Amino acid sequence: MLSNFNPQQGSLLLSEPFMLDPNFQRSVVLLCEHSDEDGSVGLVLNQPSSLLLKDVMSDMPNAEYQLFVGGPVGQDSIQFIHKCYDRLNSGIEIKENLFWGGNFEALKLLINDRAIGLDEIKFFIGYSGWSGGQLNKELKENTWMIGNSFDPDIVFVNDEENLWKEAVISLGPRYAHVAGFPQNPMWN
């Protein structure tokens, strides 16, 4: 197996370097929910869309937040992660000072009042989902590397192109060489 760690809520899933699925190619996925029996839910952190939140939410004219493609499931839903529980007072804590979802009506008021910074929240169209046992099967097939120890601020980094590489390097010396692999092994 590429990774010696077990997935858990708050883990980062890093796709193997030659993954061909365009939904997950060189992706960094934050696991928001994980159960071996019930399945997993995650959000791809480094697939920006061409949309801003205000483009899809007409009642939020000040929402200048980039929308990311969280995954191929539920493309008609908006998901968000944040580190502003002190103002929103809602959300599921998935890692220390990192929350998933919350009271969207309260969030709209805060955004329209410009009370939440661009570096405190990230919005997604859709999400990534795995049925019970599916993620563990993919791990045995070396589809993913797992990062359980990382600075939660990496979630809000705006360098999507290098996020996968930096996250792989952060796994330690055993993985650092993987970050330098070309996307297509034919380019080597």
Side-chain angles (χ1 to χ4, degrees):
M1 284 182 36
L2 267 176
S3 186
N4 294 330
F5 302 110
N6 290 319
Q8 61 192 28
Q9 183 179 35
S11 291
L12 289 181
L13 297 179
L14 312 171
S15 66
E16 62 92 5
F18 305 120
M19 184 178 285
L20 297 176
D21 182 340
N23 294 304
F24 299 108
Q25 192 173 47
R26 298 270 167 135
S27 66
V28 179
V29 179
L30 176 66
L31 276 184
C32 300
E33 202 171 83
H34 175 71
S35 164
D36 290 336
E37 298 80 35
D38 298 328
S40 305
V41 173
L43 298 167
V44 179
L45 299 175
N46 59 333
Q47 283 192 7
S49 77
S50 60
L51 299 170
L52 297 176
L53 184 60
K54 71 178 185 176
D55 297 333
V56 298
M57 301 294 297
S58 60
D59 58 343
M60 299 176 73
N62 295 330
E64 298 283 339
Y65 301 86
Q66 174 83 50
L67 277 176
F68 289 78
V69 179
V73 183
Q75 290 280 308
D76 59 345
S77 68
I78 300 286
Q79 307 283 325
F80 63 98
I81 50 179
H82 63 91
K83 59 179 181 178
C84 48
Y85 192 90
D86 58 325
R87 282 158 282 151
L88 194 53
N89 295 312
S90 63
I92 298 168
E93 188 169 28
I94 54 176
K95 194 165 180 69
E96 186 177 346
N97 198 33
L98 190 58
F99 300 86
W100 175 34
N103 182 328
F104 201 72
E105 293 306 312
L107 178 62
K108 286 198 293 191
L109 292 172
L110 290 167
I111 287 174
N112 284 332
D113 289 343
R114 300 183 194 275
I116 295 185
L118 297 173
D119 61 342
E120 297 179 290
I121 195 162
K122 199 166 198 174
F123 291 92
F124 304 86
I125 300 170
Y127 61 93
S128 302
W130 293 265
S131 60
Q134 182 182 1
L135 182 56
N136 285 334
K137 180 179 180 270
E138 290 181 13
L139 287 167
K140 288 177 183 163
E141 295 168 351
N142 288 322
T143 304
W144 302 100
M145 297 169 277
I146 300 171
N148 286 333
S149 179
F150 61 92
D151 181 345
D153 285 338
I154 195 171
V155 170
F156 304 101
V157 167
N158 284 326
D159 187 6
E160 294 82 27
E161 195 169 312
N162 288 313
L163 181 59
W164 179 85
K165 184 176 182 178
E166 294 303 317
V168 169
I169 290 170
S170 76
L171 294 176
R174 176 177 174 214
Y175 300 94
H177 71 284
V178 174
F181 287 176
Q183 281 189 319
N184 184 333
M186 305 274 293
W187 297 342
N188 203 6

